[in-house]
């Protein structure tokens, strides 16, 4: 595996650790799934994020969809890993492990 892919996987593990339990399991399962499941789910989240002005959808869907798609697009590994690392540093977890 490439170093940037490993860095992205490490940052995604940190992200999963910060999520509430139901979402944590869902995201980990999706990250382990094949690209045939992950990319359509990521694209659906991106579209939902773009349509965040609707009552049920939210802007949180956009970055999550981008990260899911980035897992399968090698050129996006570095920028996604850096963005997740910046978010982790900027907004430290307040929950105790």
């Amino acid at each position: 595996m490439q170093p940037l892919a490993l860095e992205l996987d490490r940052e995604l593990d940190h992200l999963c650790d910060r999520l509430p339990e139901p979402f944590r399991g869902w995201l980990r399962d999706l990250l382990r799934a094949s690209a045939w499941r992950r990319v359509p789910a990521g694209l659906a989240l991106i579209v939902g994020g773009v349509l965040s002005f609707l009552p049920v959808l939210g802007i949180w869907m956009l970055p999550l969809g981008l990260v899911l798609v980035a897992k399968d697009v090698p050129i996006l590994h570095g920028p996604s890993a850096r963005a997740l690392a910046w978010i982790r540093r900027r907004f430290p977890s307040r929950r105790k492990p």
Side-chain angles (χ1 to χ4, degrees):
M1 202 179 249
Q2 298 174 354
L4 289 176
L6 291 174
E7 184 179 344
L8 179 60
D9 286 342
R10 186 173 43 250
E11 291 300 331
L12 286 170
D13 284 339
H14 286 295
L15 174 67
C16 286
D17 291 342
R18 294 178 65 171
L19 293 175
E21 185 58 42
F23 299 111
R24 183 182 314 160
W26 174 79
L27 184 58
R28 282 210 170 118
D29 289 344
L30 198 53
L31 288 170
R32 289 184 193 126
S34 69
W36 291 103
R37 265 185 69 203
R38 196 171 36 247
V39 171
L43 292 175
L45 285 167
I46 291 170
V47 169
V50 170
L51 299 174
S52 64
F53 60 89
L54 296 172
V56 176
L57 307 173
I59 195 70
W60 61 269
M61 298 170 90
L62 184 63
L64 184 57
L66 289 172
V67 167
L68 285 176
V69 170
K71 180 113 168 99
D72 296 305
V73 180
I75 199 166
L76 297 176
H77 289 175
S80 298
R82 284 191 298 276
L84 288 172
W86 179 83
I87 290 169
R88 186 169 45 90
R89 286 190 311 269
R90 180 77 171 97
F91 302 101
S93 179
R94 293 186 183 140
R95 293 185 341 174
K96 293 184 175 142

